């Protein structure tokens, strides 16, 4: 168990705290918890890379912790009517599609390498910016108007593009196994 893995595990505990703070109207605490999670994500990555503490466990835990926080916040924002439900459904469905594809490939004995695509990294960045903006608006009582709308549209487009890119990559991956499985028959 490395220091980055411990930091990542601690980030899991921030998720219920941020959700609870949002649901109870403690928006300043929700903003602070989300920001702390983001900072800790940077810190654990820095330590892992610069002190050679990268692990396979960390390679799985880190994105799970990030996605758990983002998806939880987006679901709560949908419940609070701070984000449109179509966007929340798109974000959750995309992540469910990816997890389902990875699990199915593993069950079928053809594991998928966990490598984020560039469009996925852009999608995650825009999702984080949107979540931070909404949290800041709630915590500090201001409205960003057109900026929020632009981030909602960008998040929607990137979520669909990222989901489609992963689906295409998964089909190619699984198709390669289907071709090799039938060659000997």
């Amino acid at each position: 168990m490395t220091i980055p893995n411990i930091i990542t595990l601690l980030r899991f505990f921030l998720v219920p705290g941020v959700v609870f703070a949002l649901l109870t109207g403690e928006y300043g605490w929700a903003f602070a918890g989300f920001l702390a999670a983001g900072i800790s994500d940077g810190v654990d990555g820095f330590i892992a890379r610069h002190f050679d503490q990268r692990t396979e466990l960390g390679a799985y835990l880190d994105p799970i912790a990030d996605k758990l926080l983002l998806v939880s916040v987006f679901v709560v924002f949908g419940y609070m009517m701070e984000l449109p439900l179509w966007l929340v459904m798109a974000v959750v469905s995309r992540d469910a599609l990816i997890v389902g594809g990875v699990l199915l490939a593993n069950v079928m004995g053809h594991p998928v390498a966990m490598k984020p695509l560039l469009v996925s990294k852009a999608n995650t960045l825009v999702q984080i910016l949107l979540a931070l903006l909404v949290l800041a608006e709630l915590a500090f009582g201001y409205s960003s108007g057109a900026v929020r709308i632009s981030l909602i549209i960008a998040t929607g487009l990137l979520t669909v593009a990222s989901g489609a890119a992963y689906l295409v990559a998964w089909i190619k991956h699984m198709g390669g196994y289907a071709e090799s499985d039938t060659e000997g028959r």
Side-chain angles (χ1 to χ4, degrees), residues 71-108:
V71 168
S72 298
V73 166
F74 269 71
V75 168
V76 173
F77 284 161
Y79 171 77
M80 295 170 62
M81 304 304 251
E82 290 293 334
L83 288 179
L85 292 179
W86 65 263
L87 180 64
V88 174
M89 291 171 57
V91 167
V92 171
S93 296
R94 173 202 167 268
D95 288 344
L97 174 79
I98 292 169
V99 169
V102 168
L103 290 175
L104 181 58
N106 283 336
V107 166
M108 294 179 70

Side-chain angles (χ1 to χ4, degrees), residues 27 31 77 130-143:
Y27 304 128
F31 179 79
F77 284 161
L130 178 58
L132 273 172
L133 178 75
V134 173
L135 284 165
E137 287 179 343
L138 292 169
F140 305 115
Y142 76 93
S143 174

Side-chain angles (χ1 to χ4, degrees), residues 29-48:
W29 284 109
F31 179 79
F34 192 88
L35 204 54
I39 292 168
S40 73
D41 187 27
V43 168
D44 71 30
F46 175 83
I47 293 170

Side-chain angles (χ1 to χ4, degrees), residues 130-182:
L130 178 58
L132 273 172
L133 178 75
V134 173
L135 284 165
E137 287 179 343
L138 292 169
F140 305 115
Y142 76 93
S143 174
S144 62
V147 175
R148 185 195 277 215
I149 292 168
S150 298
L151 282 173
I152 287 170
I153 292 167
T155 300
L157 291 172
L158 285 168
T159 298
V160 170
S162 174
Y166 274 116
L167 182 59
V168 167
W170 184 83
I171 289 170
K172 285 181 180 177
H173 172 79
M174 296 306 287
Y177 285 108
E179 291 169 12
S180 66
D181 287 347
T182 58

